[in-house]
Amino acid sequence: MTIVVAIKCTDGAVVACDSMLTVGRAQQNGPKIHLLNSNQIIAFAGSLDLAERFRSITANLMPHVYEDAKTKYQFACYIGSQVVQDFRLTGLNPLSPEDADLMTVLIHDFQGDHEVCLFKFGSQP
């Protein structure tokens, strides 16, 4: 079992998770919390390769999302739709537990306030 916990606080956010990585059918210990930049953190439960894809897509989108999103809801929807589109372009069904075993938490600053976004792709942490 894998788990990610994120709590939004008045002065930031707290995130914690286990350290068991899933690589195909193999498991090993490793980091599951990653700093994208000084105010963006990604933590995940599920497949390492899919988490790396999510992290890469999100890192590339961040500058554009902050320019375009007017609300935190628009921000989360844009990130989610871009990741789903990327997964589907490579033949993965983000709603299928067999294809997309991934749950990701993105902690970021949006208009001066820390936000916690949950992205669930077929996984059950």
Side-chain angles (χ1 to χ4, degrees), residues 2-6 15 17-18 32 42-48 50-52 54 87 94 100-106 117-125:
T2 186
I3 190 165
V4 173
V5 177
V15 64
C17 65
D18 67 302
K32 294 170 77 173
I42 288 182
F44 71 93
S47 174
L48 175 61
L50 295 178
E52 287 299 319
F54 183 95
F87 280 21
D101 177 26
L102 178 64
M103 181 171 286
T104 307
V105 173
L106 171 63
C117 297
L118 172 68
F119 300 92
K120 181 178 175 183
F121 302 102
S123 68
Q124 296 294 327

Side-chain angles (χ1 to χ4, degrees), residues 21-70:
L21 296 173
T22 303
V23 184
R25 294 182 183 252
Q27 294 184 334
Q28 65 187 42
N29 286 331
K32 294 170 77 173
I33 299 173
H34 301 278
L35 189 63
L36 284 182
N37 64 35
S38 62
N39 64 352
Q40 298 163 347
I41 298 170
I42 288 182
F44 71 93
S47 174
L48 175 61
D49 58 339
L50 295 178
E52 287 299 319
R53 280 179 67 179
F54 183 95
R55 182 167 66 153
S56 174
I57 294 164
T58 303
N60 291 330
L61 287 175
M62 282 299 185
H64 309 291
V65 179
Y66 283 119
E67 292 172 6
D68 298 339
K70 306 275 188 279

Side-chain angles (χ1 to χ4, degrees), residues 94-122:
L95 302 178
S96 166
E98 293 81 28
D99 279 355
D101 177 26
L102 178 64
M103 181 171 286
T104 307
V105 173
L106 171 63
I107 299 169
H108 64 98
D109 181 62
F110 187 80
Q111 297 179 350
D113 194 19
H114 284 86
E115 295 297 333
V116 176
C117 297
L118 172 68
F119 300 92
K120 181 178 175 183
F121 302 102

Side-chain angles (χ1 to χ4, degrees), residues 67-81:
E67 292 172 6
D68 298 339
K70 306 275 188 279
T71 67
K72 59 186 173 184
Y73 180 73
Q74 284 180 331
F75 178 95
C77 287
Y78 184 75
I79 294 284
S81 68

